[in-house]
Amino acid sequence: MTAPSARSVSEREARQVAEAAREQDWRKPSFAKELFLGRFRLDLIHPHPMPDPEAVDRGEEFLTKLHAFCETEIDGARIEREAKIPDETINGLKELGALGMKIDTKYGGLGLTQVYYNKALALVGSANPALGALLSAHQSIGVPQPLKTFGTQEQKDAFLPRCARTDISAFLLTEPDVGSDPARLATTAVPDGDTYVLDGVKLWTTNGVVADLLVVMARVPKSEGHKGGITAFVVEAAAEGVTVERRNAFMGLRGIENGVTRFHRVRVPAAHRIGPEGAGLKIALTTLNTGRLSLPAMCVGAGKWALKIAREWSVAREQWGKPIAKHEAVGAKISFIAATTFALEAVVDLSSQMADEDRNDIRIEAALAKLYGSEMGCLIADELIQIRGGRGFETAASLAARGERAVPAEQLLRDLRINRIFEGSTEIMHLLIAREAVDAHLSVAGDLIDPDTSLGDKGRAAAKAGAFYARWLPKLVAGPGQLPNSYAEFAPSGHRDLSGHLRYTERAARKLARSTFYAMSRWQGRMETKQGFLGRIVDIGAELFAMSAACVRAELLRTQGDHGAEAYQLADAFCEQSRVRVDELFGRLWTNTDDTDRKVVSGVMSGTYAWLESGVIDPSGDGPWIADATPGPTRTDNLHRPIR
């Protein structure tokens, strides 16, 4: 069943809406964009960008206070048990200034860099991931970030001081029948004088239950004097007609304040509109360019904790006369956790520092960090549970009740699992990154492969594409990766040799670009339907980016005299593991089951295999697949619970 309020749009219209929201221009260099084009621009990330010393001092001072607060004032077990963050904990974070970590000091914020904001999220998230989600949703996608980039001075003066110290914010885009396809957005904002009248229902509103301020995406109807389109608004959560109808419960992040919010004839001043009408999706996507870094940052924190538990447990636990870490089957898992955590931190810190410098365009880097961190974080948690055995499956409360250390390994897996869905599912991230990765090709050959383009335009596109590929393709034949002395600075005496991994990365980048070009030549306009292929292309790029970041971080730590030899060893281990994955992904580009899978899916959808479902009981309850989201007055009590 489809929600009655959902808009029906064609596939082409949905694609046009998504395309219009993209940033079209590349005004700054991008390491990841160049990587997908077969150009290994190590100079864009090496030497590793460095933070401003004053920013470091300010960040370290806050981290010290935050660490003490997390150790003494956050009871993660209580939050898990009660499925709620105590008000006093949130108020304590407010007093520390944690709501304003990314807000400029002139508005009462702390003015932390992206690097230290991420370090703070990793720290808080390790104490309890629901708290990390609260702070991240408030600052990464809530009111502060959109206003920082797109808000008027009056809006900044009015809202940023509140967000920095007292008011929690939330971001409302998703609807019961609208997820990653915003063209079907049903919530409306109808102009009425100097106000807009807001009607609709929003689902999975992280922080929505306790928020004071909301960023709401709604569709403005096109009319005289109004361009219309999806538009962003700042809405007071206490405004008349705003109702929190549900507080949702999930398999993980049990303390998260996530709900269903209904808007019924809510009047929003035109002065609270962020940017022009129709710019809402572009504002959302631009906000996420750096906002996405918060999720992998918390995955880094999870990896660090998993490594600590794996180390301590694997030394204490003995099997067949020796610690389990000494058994190769377990040792391989520990090596994976250690090496991958090192690489994840390298990716997040490098991307964050580039965001702070604002010298490079990091839209692809941030997306890759989110994708890679989410996927690898879940693998790390799964491996930790396997290392812990039955104790990994047992809850911390049960372990404590029978006298053992209360290690919440199973909670880690439950809490991390949402990251593969939050802020763009893995599948959507594959498509989003793939679109950016082939942008250069589409800009020169898009009309050539578009079935709706006229013959005349195709001819002009052919000439343009011919000139581009005549220059580009020869450069994919050979490069520094084939020269034995390339990247020699990554082979210092007394350390593991990382130069070979960088030569491999350079060769693989050219191979990746050749594979993409061949696929476009082969499938042309059907390329966008080859989602399995595109996903593997992106996964290869993610691995190559992570390898590059790991090597650059190891060299940075060596030059700083900070665990350089150990960092080189971890980077070497990660690159060896990553190369195995890359080689497998390259093989699966052309040898896979994609065609067979499509046939099986058709059979499943048509009911051909329905007989296979017999012999079980479906424990699901009754009800529609998608809840009714018809606009109108609420029929429930308001569950809005502002923190005071």
Side-chain angles (χ1 to χ4, degrees):
M1 179 181 292
T2 301
S5 60
R7 299 178 73 248
S8 178
V9 299
S10 67
E11 182 180 354
R12 183 176 181 82
E13 182 183 349
R15 204 179 302 123
Q16 288 173 339
V17 170
E19 185 66 19
R22 283 184 60 250
E23 288 186 68
Q24 305 292 330
D25 300 324
W26 292 87
R27 293 182 292 272
K28 299 175 184 176
S30 165
F31 173 79
K33 178 176 180 288
E34 294 292 307
L35 192 70
F36 281 108
L37 285 171
R39 299 191 283 248
F40 184 51
R41 290 287 309 278
L42 189 63
D43 61 294
L44 292 177
I45 61 173
H46 172 69
H48 194 292
M50 298 299 294
D52 174 68
E54 183 180 335
V56 172
D57 291 341
R58 188 167 61 249
E60 291 293 339
E61 180 183 0
F62 176 70
L63 284 184
T64 299
K65 297 176 182 177
L66 184 62
H67 192 281
F69 180 86
C70 290
E71 277 194 320
T72 60
E73 303 299 328
I74 296 178
D75 186 345
R78 178 186 172 187
I79 294 173
E80 179 70 6
R81 184 173 62 251
E82 298 179 355
K84 176 184 173 183
I85 302 170
D87 288 5
E88 59 267 26
T89 302
I90 297 177
N91 284 327
L93 288 169
K94 288 182 179 182
E95 291 173 10
L96 273 179
L99 292 187
M101 288 187 284
K102 287 192 69 180
I103 297 175
D104 196 290
T105 53
K106 65 183 178 183
Y107 300 111
L110 299 181
L112 298 187
T113 61
Q114 185 72 38
V115 169
Y116 275 95
Y117 170 65
N118 286 340
K119 289 180 182 296
L121 289 178
L123 176 59
V124 172
S126 67
N128 185 266
L131 275 170
L134 183 145
L135 293 176
S136 172
H138 167 67
Q139 291 170 89
S140 296
I141 57 177
V143 171
Q145 192 64 30
L147 287 192
K148 177 181 178 181
T149 308
F150 298 97
T152 65
Q153 190 58 53
E154 291 76 15
Q155 290 171 340
K156 293 175 183 178
D157 291 340
F159 297 120
L160 290 184
R162 293 170 57 183
C163 291
R165 290 291 175 180
T166 59
D167 288 16
I168 297 172
S169 68
F171 175 79
L172 283 65
L173 171 63
T174 305
E175 298 176 359
D177 197 24
V178 180
S180 299
D181 182 10
R184 302 176 65 245
L185 200 74
T187 299
T188 59
V190 179
D192 184 15
D194 58 356
T195 67
Y196 290 82
V197 180
L198 200 61
D199 281 281
V201 178
K202 295 294 185 180
L203 177 63
W204 298 324
T205 60
T206 299
N207 287 358
V209 178
V210 297
D212 303 284
L213 291 171
L214 315 171
V215 175
V216 182
M217 296 292 167
R219 181 180 303 280
V220 176
K222 189 174 182 179
S223 62
E224 184 177 352
H226 292 276
K227 175 185 177 182
I230 298 173
T231 307
F233 299 90
V234 177
V235 180
E236 297 279 359
E240 184 178 354
V242 180
T243 306
V244 176
E245 296 191 327
R246 298 282 184 274
R247 182 179 186 269
N248 301 321
F250 304 99
M251 66 179 282
L253 294 182
R254 296 194 61 201
I256 193 171
E257 297 290 352
N258 180 295
V260 177
T261 303
R262 178 178 293 271
F263 300 92
H264 177 57
R265 298 177 183 173
V266 178
R267 289 199 170 271
V268 182
H272 289 190
R273 187 189 70 218
I274 308 174
E277 290 182 357
L281 284 185
K282 182 165 289 189
I283 290 171
L285 291 178
T286 303
T287 297
L288 284 172
N289 280 345
T290 54
R292 282 197 175 100
L293 290 173
S294 62
L295 288 185
M298 287 184 278
C299 290
V300 170
K304 289 174 177 286
W305 179 78
L307 180 60
K308 177 181 184 294
I309 297 301
R311 172 178 58 82
E312 294 176 351
W313 168 247
S314 299
V315 171
R317 175 64 165 166
E318 291 191 1
Q319 287 276 41
W320 298 306
K322 57 184 177 182
I324 60 172
K326 296 293 185 180
H327 293 283
E328 190 173 271
V330 176
K333 298 180 187 302
I334 297 172
S335 175
F336 168 77
I337 292 174
T340 305
T341 298
F342 176 82
L344 288 183
E345 186 168 39
V347 165
V348 172
D349 275 11
L350 177 62
S351 301
S352 300
Q353 188 57 51
M354 288 195 292
D356 287 331
E357 284 192 344
D358 200 25
R359 184 163 48 95
N360 292 350
D361 188 322
I362 67 155
R363 74 182 86 161
I364 300 181
E365 285 85 346
L368 287 173
K370 189 275 176 187
L371 169 69
Y372 199 69
S374 298
E375 292 294 317
M376 289 308 208
C378 282
L379 288 177
I380 286 173
D382 190 64
E383 294 288 42
L384 176 63
I385 285 181
Q386 197 68 20
I387 292 170
R388 286 276 289 162
R391 290 172 174 84
F393 194 65
E394 190 173 3
T395 67
S398 179
L399 288 165
R402 60 183 186 79
E404 291 195 0
R405 184 176 299 183
V407 179
E410 59 84 28
Q411 181 189 336
L412 180 73
L413 185 63
R414 290 188 288 105
D415 287 341
L416 284 176
R417 184 58 181 83
I418 186 58
N419 289 340
R420 296 177 61 201
I421 301 171
F422 258 169
E423 295 181 19
S425 69
T426 291
E427 293 72 26
I428 292 299
M429 296 306 297
H430 276 151
L431 298 181
L432 184 152
I433 297 168
R435 173 62 186 85
E436 299 295 353
V438 301
D439 183 56
H441 299 284
L442 293 179
S443 66
V444 299
D447 287 343
L448 195 60
I449 63 177
D450 188 343
D452 296 328
T453 301
S454 67
L455 288 177
D457 287 340
K458 283 184 184 292
R460 285 184 286 274
K464 183 179 179 182
F468 172 79
Y469 289 120
R471 296 189 304 271
W472 178 68
L473 285 171
K475 297 178 181 179
L476 301 182
V477 177
Q482 293 164 293
L483 303 176
N485 294 324
S486 295
Y487 314 113
E489 67 269 33
F490 288 86
S493 176
H495 293 69
R496 303 300 289 265
D497 185 355
L498 300 182
S499 63
H501 296 310
L502 292 175
R503 289 194 292 273
Y504 172 89
T505 301
E506 194 277 337
R507 296 193 303 272
R510 285 187 282 112
K511 183 178 180 180
L512 183 64
R514 293 195 301 269
S515 300
T516 304
F517 173 73
Y518 173 70
M520 290 193 66
S521 303
R522 176 179 175 180
W523 292 315
Q524 298 186 30
R526 293 183 295 127
M527 178 83 160
E528 64 183 23
T529 69
K530 304 295 181 179
Q531 295 180 1
F533 177 88
L534 293 173
R536 295 176 200 112
I537 286 288
V538 170
D539 286 340
I540 292 171
E543 294 283 2
L544 299 182
F545 177 42
M547 289 173 64
S548 305
C551 291
V552 168
R553 182 174 182 81
E555 175 61 9
L556 170 67
L557 295 179
R558 184 190 71 84
T559 58
Q560 292 180 333
D562 190 9
H563 306 293
E566 297 91 340
Y568 257 70
Q569 187 174 25
L570 286 170
D572 180 53
F574 172 77
C575 288
E576 286 187 8
Q577 296 169 10
S578 180
R579 286 171 67 163
V580 172
R581 294 190 291 267
V582 169
D583 289 343
E584 179 186 355
L585 285 164
F586 268 124
R588 289 175 54 211
L589 284 179
W590 312 111
T591 305
N592 53 63
T593 63
D594 292 350
D595 290 338
T596 299
D597 294 341
R598 277 190 286 271
K599 294 175 183 177
V600 171
V601 169
S602 294
V604 170
M605 298 297 288
S606 66
T608 301
Y609 311 124
W611 52 268
L612 189 58
E613 301 165 10
S614 65
V616 299
I617 298 297
D618 182 357
S620 307
D622 295 329
W625 285 106
I626 300 170
D628 184 0
T630 303
T634 188
R635 297 182 178 86
T636 69
D637 294 333
N638 190 359
L639 302 182
H640 184 223
R641 185 177 62 84
I643 307 298
R644 295 290 181 251

